[in-house]
Amino acid sequence: MYNNVFQYVFLAVVADGCRLDMESPPTTCKVSGQAALTVLSRKEPKSGEQQARAVGAYFANTTFTKIYASPLPRARDTAQALLDAQPDPKPLHDFSIDLIKEQSFGAAEGHLPSMREEGKTLTAHFQEGKYPILYESESDVAFPGGESALDMLRRGETAVREVLMPHVLSTARTGQEEHIVLVSHGLCIAAIVGGLVRILGRGTWKRKGPMVNTGWTRVEVRVQGVQDGIPDELTDGEVPLSEVTVTDESRKGHLEGLVDACLPVGMKAYQGGGLVETKNPNEAEAIVQARVELKN
């Protein structure tokens, strides 16, 4: 029933040696009757360059249809390593996709998480420039000028609809296999993969844990309607019936023998979408404006 394979590759952001390790390797997703998605994460300075080259070499024999990346340097550099390792003619690429930036932590960017003080509200913590780790039950709470976990979830779903869905529809219509790479960041990757499973697979998915530097995740999307080479007729807004399977998660075999290939130990500063340079919570107005620009 499913003849074609459509593959997406998401390159998640991997942490630099001096940055928070929030990016991960590619996730692959196929569509054709079937689709694959690969997600990669960002890299660290020197060891990161080695890791980026390693993941590029790992996928050098995988022919990509298109490579997308977050415009943040740590993701863009990893995407460039993937592109450089591809044979000629090089695949299409776009390294300016704001929708797949990491979650913004607003005024908390660059700060270490603080301990919660008993009897003090989150607002009071924020006013003092203190940013404790938010609980899962506080998914609607955002640091001043930043995005909440729910904001990130919604943006991930938007990325699925605006960046990935055109490839799914193309595969359903033409029966031609596509293999897409999306270079993003850990929290954003989780939102995108979860959104893909919900929107196309009508199911649920939750990541097992943080992604390692340049680790990758692969998703297969089997699109119903492509039978015996006969394409389906779909409108641009229509969601084709699909089966979505996360076949690999946070794979890191390409990092064997490299230094700093494991998750970092110890507390790390918040490092997200990079919307603000300031660490001063009183500059919330500028942060909010930056957030508006991101959404626009």
Side-chain angles (χ1 to χ4, degrees):
M1 179 176 180
Y2 306 107
N3 300 322
N4 299 32
V5 176
F6 174 58
Q7 211 168 20
Y8 289 82
V9 180
F10 293 134
L11 179 58
V13 182
V14 180
D16 288 328
C18 59
R19 298 172 181 168
L20 174 61
D21 188 350
M22 300 183 71
E23 301 173 359
S24 308
T27 295
T28 307
C29 167
K30 297 180 179 178
V31 176
S32 71
Q34 172 177 316
L37 169 65
T38 300
V39 181
L40 297 173
S41 52
R42 71 183 162 94
K43 55 176 180 31
E44 306 186 0
K46 288 188 177 178
S47 62
E49 291 176 14
Q50 294 178 330
Q51 293 164 357
R53 287 196 297 269
V55 77
Y58 183 85
F59 285 100
N61 294 323
T62 301
T63 301
F64 296 130
T65 304
K66 189 167 184 176
I67 301 175
Y68 294 101
S70 155
L72 298 182
R74 56 192 188 264
R76 193 177 60 239
D77 292 349
T78 307
Q80 186 63 52
L82 280 173
L83 181 64
D84 291 344
Q86 288 284 291
D88 292 327
K90 301 293 186 184
L92 297 173
H93 56 280
D94 185 345
F95 299 168
S96 62
I97 308 300
D98 284 338
L99 279 173
I100 60 175
K101 280 184 175 181
E102 184 57 291
Q103 178 179 342
S104 168
F105 296 111
E109 295 273 355
H111 286 269
L112 287 171
S114 61
M115 298 294 292
R116 292 190 182 222
E117 298 178 30
E118 188 175 354
K120 183 177 291 187
T121 65
L122 282 175
T123 298
H125 281 84
F126 299 162
Q127 289 173 342
E128 296 177 5
K130 299 175 181 178
Y131 306 101
I133 293 175
L134 300 176
Y135 300 138
E136 191 169 338
S137 60
E138 297 169 326
S139 60
D140 60 338
V141 177
F143 296 127
E147 294 175 294
S148 68
L150 286 179
D151 290 333
M152 183 69 262
L153 183 147
R154 296 186 190 100
R155 180 152 62 84
E157 292 184 342
T158 300
V160 169
R161 292 190 171 93
E162 295 188 11
V163 181
L164 302 178
M165 192 62 72
H167 295 284
V168 175
L169 291 173
S170 174
T171 293
R173 289 166 175 163
T174 67
Q176 297 297 311
E177 172 181 333
E178 296 194 28
H179 192 161
I180 308 305
V181 178
L182 197 156
V183 184
S184 181
H185 314 259
L187 297 176
C188 186
I189 288 172
I192 291 170
V193 175
L196 191 65
V197 172
R198 284 191 301 276
I199 295 170
L200 282 175
R202 280 75 167 179
T204 59
W205 174 84
K206 186 175 182 178
R207 68 176 185 171
K208 297 176 181 177
M211 296 183 77
V212 301
N213 298 351
T214 67
W216 58 271
T217 299
R218 184 175 185 276
V219 181
E220 268 192 8
V221 179
R222 300 168 70 90
V223 180
Q224 297 184 21
V226 184
Q227 298 184 25
D228 302 322
I230 302 174
D232 201 0
E233 293 185 6
L234 298 167
T235 62
D236 287 343
E238 190 173 352
V239 178
L241 292 176
S242 309
E243 294 177 8
V244 180
T245 305
V246 179
T247 62
D248 299 271
E249 183 176 347
S250 196
R251 296 287 297 275
K252 58 181 181 180
H254 61 285
L255 297 176
E256 187 174 351
L258 297 181
V259 296
D260 298 328
C262 299
L263 286 171
V265 177
M267 191 70 76
K268 299 291 182 179
Y270 292 107
Q271 182 173 10
L275 290 180
V276 293
E277 296 296 332
T278 179
K279 298 179 182 179
N280 183 351
N282 294 326
E283 296 188 40
E285 183 176 351
I287 297 170
V288 171
Q289 181 59 37
R291 185 184 176 195
V292 169
E293 291 175 358
L294 172 65
K295 290 189 173 182
N296 293 336

